[in-house]
Amino acid sequence: MFSSGDDPMIKVRALHRIRMMAVCSPQHDLAKLANVTSTDITAHRQIVLSHLFDEIHQDFRPISSSTMSFSNYQEVLEAVVDNLGWGIIPETLVKQELRKEHLVVLKHPNGMYYESFGEMSRPNDHTVETRQSLIDGIEEGIYDLF
């Protein structure tokens, strides 16, 4: 999810919706529960992206009171596989680990959901052409992930 906050000058462009999965190691305490509640997940460490952790917007705040942050999803994935906590990771990154049974999806009502990914810009931004070519490449290439 992304938000422009209260700034009407920020242009938001959705690129694609990706399924996100709340996952943990099969050895994690949450994996052993028949049904996971919101109280259960807040009681366990959440592995998050550091730039989202630092965001002010409420939608980006971690669910759990205990967190460990990393700079990219690959590091988040590795920490979750190593049983350092649970995390919310794009399906494309966890598919193989789920098949190998190195991860399980949390049995929570929101254990899987779709999230929109996109870009935000301001009208007077001078990096428009460079960013536009990157966005076009991402927009075209993201379909190869599925």
Side-chain angles (χ1 to χ4, degrees), residues 21-121:
M21 297 181 149
V23 294
C24 67
S25 163
Q27 291 78 38
H28 195 280
D29 291 343
L30 291 173
K32 298 171 181 148
L33 298 175
N35 291 303
V36 177
T37 66
S38 295
T39 303
D40 295 327
I41 60 174
T42 58
H44 293 273
R45 181 185 299 132
Q46 182 180 359
I47 311 298
V48 298
L49 288 174
S50 54
H51 71 278
L52 293 184
F53 179 72
D54 295 336
E55 284 287 333
I56 297 169
H57 197 278
Q58 186 66 31
D59 290 339
F60 298 126
R61 296 193 191 256
I63 298 165
S64 179
S65 58
S66 173
T67 61
M68 182 180 290
S69 63
F70 293 93
S71 63
N72 62 64
Y73 274 121
Q74 186 59 43
E75 291 174 337
V76 170
L77 175 62
E78 291 168 8
V80 172
V81 169
D82 290 343
N83 199 21
L84 298 177
W86 67 274
I88 299 171
I89 305 172
E91 177 187 32
T92 55
L93 294 177
V94 299
K95 275 183 179 181
Q96 288 187 6
E97 299 301 329
L98 289 167
R99 285 187 195 120
K100 295 179 197 172
E101 299 181 358
H102 294 165
L103 289 177
V104 296
V105 177
L106 297 180
K107 296 174 191 124
H108 183 272
N110 296 321
M112 290 187 277
Y113 63 92
Y114 283 91
E115 190 167 292
S116 296
F117 283 78
E119 65 100 11
M120 294 185 227
S121 62

Side-chain angles (χ1 to χ4, degrees), residues 117-135:
F117 283 78
E119 65 100 11
M120 294 185 227
S121 62
R122 292 185 182 279
N124 60 352
D125 192 343
H126 299 292
T127 60
V128 174
E129 286 182 25
T130 303
R131 190 174 58 243
Q132 187 59 49
S133 65
L134 287 171
I135 291 167

